[in-house]
Amino acid sequence: MTATDTGASTSATATSAGSEEDLLARVSAPQGQGRQIREPATGAVLGAAPVHSKQDLDAAVAAARAAQPAWAASGHEQRSQVLLRMADRIDALAEPLARLLAREQGKPLNGPNARFEVGACSAWLRATAATTLEPQVVVDDGATRAELTYRPVGVVGAIGPWNWPLMITIWQVAPALRMGNAVVVKPSEYTPLSVLALISILNEELPEGVLSAVSGEGEVGARLASHPDVDKVMFTGSTATGRRIIESSAGNLARLTLELGGNDAGIVLPDADPQAIADGLFWGAFINTGQTCAALKRLYVHDSLYEEVVDALADVARAMPMGASLDETSVLGPLQNKQQFDVVARLVEDAKQRGGRIVTGGQPATELGELFFPVTLIADLKDGDPLVDEEQFGPALPIIRYSEIDDAVASANRLEAGLGASVWSADPAAARAVAERIQAGTVWINSHGGVHPMVPFGGVKGSGYGLEFGVEGLKAVAAPQVISAASPTIAPTA
């Protein structure tokens, strides 16, 4: 299978596919080839992902380069209509796509998980199609009229993660296509099959070559980031890999949007109601079993209500069912891969050795499967403890006591990460005052981690740069151009 096969035009068989097995058949490597992908919840083999080479990537980029001018010339209205039809295609196959995602990524079907993620894909496509980016008149003084406009950058390389593989792919692909670019997608090697299936669905509405996916190891992603014919790179993943992409981009001067690691702090002010905020704190920390860049990863609680918050959060945690991905009662699932499981297990064990108080969880849930780790709340930790300072990216939350708000703000700002943060309070003005002091791309008040297709999202410091979503997201995948016209009645100056 070549790279462009995953972006092939629709066929009668493809459009009639009605189960996750049908979707798998579209994108799997031929029998006996490819790399085995196992289901995190069960360890069973799900399928075999094609392993593309750097030569396959070169072919995909060349096809994108050839197809992009005609796609750009089709105009904003036509491209928006294509995005709307893509959304309809996803909705028509939402259930099999969600089941494939659940089996490959591990997240359950229900709750803010697989069905939610697939629904977000079509919602984001529709929102992107409806977003307008009008020319901006920057000067019109009678002598000069200057307009700022935006043109396609050309070919966009989109490198995605394994935690929200479909949704983040759409976050990258939708605005890039909307602005007239061609896109080459490199999915994570942990979750390639669901992304390849998504790309095959989208390609039922696209001209050949405009969108393709290349499934391979890290060297393929590195080649995409440094490719001389790639004009823009969008990457969601670790800060370490983001730094390597920045270095690679020096050779081709590719524009970058980097959404990197986070270690989001939450600060509970002394006037908060522990019972009222417990659900929001829980889902802020444990959506997708904690495997979310902008999840709440360290919680600072004022002395006066520390134990009340710990108890209220523990009550919520104990009521949340964890189990197999296709079990309709589950809302929490396994860690996606052994490497991430080991990170969580190491940090929890270290926290116990340092005197952390285990409130819930604390040991692998081996009765559920190899990669299951229960929701683990650990109280009485402090800044400097590894579970506080390192991004755990899993279902373990350190809870830290503070007495002075200045100390809590300093703690929130002390780390390299700056993706998101949250402030919890019954007083909106007090919460706003604290939020303005936190060094993060987004600060939520009385919630954590929610995103909206019209609200710009991006990080600061070690969490990357560039914005996604809404008008700013369209600008990020476009090249600004100023058209400046002098009045013909004004004589030019020497």
Side-chain angles (χ1 to χ4, degrees):
M1 177 180 284
T2 65
T4 51
D5 286 333
T6 60
S9 298
T10 182
S11 68
T13 300
T15 55
S16 63
S19 71
E20 65 268 28
E21 298 301 336
D22 294 323
L23 291 178
L24 267 174
R26 294 194 194 191
V27 299
S28 294
Q31 188 171 5
Q33 300 181 29
R35 182 172 57 85
Q36 282 190 346
I37 303 295
R38 293 185 178 274
E39 300 183 26
T42 66
V45 174
L46 173 62
V51 179
H52 295 130
S53 65
K54 290 190 286 187
Q55 290 72 31
D56 292 323
L57 173 64
D58 289 343
V61 172
R65 178 67 65 188
Q68 188 271 330
W71 175 244
S74 65
H76 285 288
E77 179 59 32
Q78 182 172 330
R79 293 195 297 271
S80 292
Q81 291 302 313
V82 171
L83 263 62
L84 292 175
R85 294 198 298 271
M86 288 176 175
D88 291 341
R89 292 279 190 181
I90 290 174
D91 287 346
L93 289 170
E95 184 61 14
L97 192 56
R99 291 180 66 85
L100 175 57
L101 173 64
R103 292 169 66 189
E104 182 176 46
Q105 199 281 334
K107 63 185 64 183
L109 289 169
N110 291 319
N113 291 299
R115 289 178 177 132
F116 167 85
E117 181 170 352
V118 172
C121 290
S122 58
W124 239 267
L125 282 164
R126 291 192 173 91
T128 305
T131 302
T132 58
L133 178 54
E134 300 290 348
Q136 179 186 354
V137 177
V138 292
V139 171
D140 190 6
D141 60 5
T144 300
R145 179 181 173 86
E147 287 187 353
L148 176 63
T149 63
Y150 292 88
R151 302 171 57 84
V153 293
V155 176
V156 173
I159 305 172
W162 50 258
N163 59 331
W164 293 93
L166 302 188
M167 187 167 67
I168 292 176
T169 294
I170 290 293
W171 289 357
Q172 297 170 331
V173 166
L177 293 178
R178 168 71 172 74
M179 292 305 295
N181 303 292
V183 187
V184 178
V185 172
K186 163 61 175 67
S188 166
E189 49 265 48
Y190 289 111
T191 53
L193 295 172
S194 55
V195 175
L196 294 177
L198 174 68
I199 298 302
S200 77
I201 292 169
L202 300 183
N203 266 310
E204 294 174 358
E205 298 295 341
L206 284 169
E208 187 172 354
V210 170
L211 174 64
S212 59
V214 180
S215 169
E217 305 300 326
E219 64 177 14
V220 175
R223 171 63 175 167
L224 181 59
S226 63
H227 201 289
D229 285 329
V230 170
D231 304 288
K232 166 87 184 186
V233 176
M234 305 183 77
F235 171 74
T236 297
S238 71
T239 299
T241 302
R243 288 196 172 99
R244 292 195 292 272
I245 288 173
I246 293 170
E247 294 170 357
S248 297
S249 71
N252 59 2
L253 293 178
R255 300 165 185 266
L256 301 176
T257 295
L258 303 174
E259 198 260 86
L260 306 179
N263 196 346
D264 290 16
I267 300 176
V268 179
L269 301 188
D271 64 358
D273 180 342
Q275 295 297 326
I277 66 175
D279 276 345
L281 288 172
F282 178 87
W283 286 115
F286 298 111
I287 186 172
N288 199 28
T289 315
Q291 299 168 109
T292 298
C293 295
L296 173 59
K297 297 192 175 79
R298 48 197 174 111
L299 181 62
Y300 296 88
V301 183
H302 192 267
D303 268 330
S304 62
L305 67 170
Y306 185 84
E307 294 299 340
E308 291 179 76
V309 170
V310 170
D311 290 345
L313 193 49
D315 288 343
V316 176
R318 294 186 184 104
M320 293 295 174
M322 173 177 280
S325 306
L326 297 183
D327 186 335
E328 294 284 354
T329 66
S330 300
V331 295
L332 298 168
L335 277 298
Q336 202 284 325
N337 54 78
K338 182 64 162 59
Q339 179 179 353
Q340 198 57 45
F341 178 91
D342 289 344
V343 169
V344 174
R346 171 180 62 81
L347 290 173
V348 169
E349 186 59 33
D350 177 88
K352 289 191 288 187
Q353 296 300 318
R354 292 172 185 271
R357 170 165 49 108
I358 301 298
V359 181
T360 64
Q363 296 288 343
T366 52
E367 71 279 7
L368 296 176
E370 181 184 1
L371 298 182
F372 283 88
F373 206 102
V375 170
T376 298
L377 301 174
I378 305 183
D380 305 336
L381 292 178
K382 63 185 184 302
D383 287 351
D385 290 339
L387 182 58
V388 178
D389 283 16
E390 297 181 30
E391 183 183 19
Q392 69 276 49
F393 214 71
L397 179 67
I399 308 173
I400 306 103
R401 188 187 305 264
Y402 78 90
S403 299
E404 300 295 331
I405 187 59
D406 289 349
D407 293 336
V409 171
S411 290
N413 291 339
R414 60 183 281 272
L415 300 180
E416 179 187 45
L419 188 57
S422 57
V423 182
W424 304 77
S425 171
D427 183 345
R432 174 73 182 240
V434 173
E436 290 175 348
R437 300 172 61 190
I438 297 177
Q439 298 166 3
T442 298
V443 182
W444 293 275
I445 294 176
N446 292 327
S447 67
H448 193 109
V451 291
H452 187 284
M454 295 307 297
V455 178
F457 179 74
V460 298
K461 301 197 296 186
S463 293
Y465 49 78
L467 290 173
E468 298 177 270
F469 311 160
V471 172
E472 295 304 319
L474 295 183
K475 291 178 180 179
V477 287
Q481 181 182 53
V482 174
I483 298 178
S484 185
S487 171
T489 63
I490 305 296
T493 59

